[in-house]
Amino acid sequence: TDSGLDIDALQVVANGVNLWSSCFNADDDYCNKSGTSMATPSVTGATGLLVQRYRDPANYGTSPSPDVIKGVWVNTATDLGRPGPDYAFGHGLIDAQLAVDTIDAGQVRILTDAVDHGDSNDYLVAVPGGVTQLRATLNWLDPEAAGGANPTLVNNLDLLLLSPTFASTFPFSGPGSGNVTGNATATGPNTVDNVEHAVAATPGQGYWTVRVAGASVPSGPQNYALVVNGYDATGQLVAPLGFALDTQ
């Protein structure tokens, strides 16, 4: 899609500096290497472990769709550089341990559902005390756009967090195509990305509403993955939050 960053491929990053790896000098030779050729296999290997963990009968017992895995990576990444997504680090540095912890928590942090044009799904999330960040990540596999389309996003879903007092937290939107020095904003709906990430700092204790709306879904219904986590001051996960569909 037309990412607000104009860097769709850069969603997260991984360490690629001075990694111990095999060398070409001999069959049993090892050395330190750096570069994207080292960061990429780190993400690939870690993703394989996440898929294995997700398939565990004690967790979900089935293979995750790609939108689930990307949602987990974005939600649990450590933000680096400019606040929110940026050109240098995307949504941040992957944290495999937090990603695994999110999956191991059971079916209380990851949800899959679908929404059609003009509809919305509201989920109640119980936020306990001690949460310094509430993060919600929405990801969907958008249909292929027609050749030459601009924007290239076909189905536009909107993510919104509502506090117990109904204060709104919007997802990040990138600084715009080519604006490498600008900061991401979170002042309104994101209308260009199929990955939306909202962060509520120092959220109040109580029941928060996570809303997924089908703002424009010409090819629907659109399946999606939703990941919601609470983090404490040290960046670790707080006790499982749990989803409940708000039917009121």
Side-chain angles (χ1 to χ4, degrees):
T1 64
D2 283 333
S3 169
L5 290 171
D6 198 27
I7 48 163
D8 282 317
L10 183 57
Q11 296 293 343
V12 291
V13 296
N15 177 31
V17 179
N18 291 329
L19 296 184
W20 192 245
S21 179
S22 57
C23 286
F24 58 84
N25 297 325
D27 291 341
D28 58 352
D29 191 22
Y30 288 84
C31 61
N32 286 322
K33 291 184 177 181
S34 299
T36 56
S37 292
M38 300 310 297
T40 300
S42 295
V43 177
T44 302
T47 296
L49 294 175
L50 294 191
V51 171
Q52 181 185 38
R53 205 72 165 216
Y54 194 95
R55 289 172 175 171
D56 191 317
N59 291 325
Y60 294 84
T62 187
S63 295
S65 56
D67 51 351
V68 169
I69 294 298
K70 183 182 285 188
V72 171
W73 278 137
V74 170
N75 189 277
T76 57
T78 301
D79 190 25
L80 298 175
R82 298 177 182 276
D86 59 46
Y87 276 92
F89 302 101
H91 288 276
L93 179 70
I94 66 167
D95 189 321
Q97 185 61 63
L98 284 180
V100 167
D101 290 345
T102 297
I103 293 173
D104 283 353
Q107 301 182 35
V108 295
R109 296 181 183 273
I110 304 170
L111 177 148
T112 56
D113 208 336
V115 68
D116 217 331
H117 178 75
D119 293 337
S120 63
N121 295 327
D122 284 3
Y123 309 96
L124 292 178
V125 177
V127 178
V131 176
T132 59
Q133 269 195 351
L134 178 65
R135 303 181 196 170
T137 307
L138 173 67
N139 183 217
W140 66 97
L141 305 178
D142 197 48
E144 183 178 358
N150 184 22
T152 57
L153 186 70
V154 175
N155 290 336
N156 177 29
L157 308 188
D158 283 341
L159 173 66
L160 181 67
L161 297 181
L162 294 170
S163 74
T165 60
F166 301 104
S168 298
T169 299
F170 290 99
F172 288 110
S173 293
S177 176
N179 187 359
V180 298
T181 60
N183 290 333
T185 61
T187 56
N190 182 323
T191 61
V192 297
D193 296 318
N194 67 329
V195 180
E196 299 192 3
H197 183 56
V199 178
T202 60
Q205 184 174 352
Y207 285 97
W208 282 65
T209 299
V210 182
R211 177 171 296 161
V212 178
S216 177
V217 186
S219 179
Q222 176 63 60
N223 295 325
Y224 61 82
L226 180 65
V227 182
V228 179
N229 271 324
Y231 295 82
D232 64 19
T234 67
Q236 299 304 302
L237 299 184
V238 179
L241 304 179
F243 291 101
L245 183 63
D246 187 357
T247 58
Q248 297 182 354

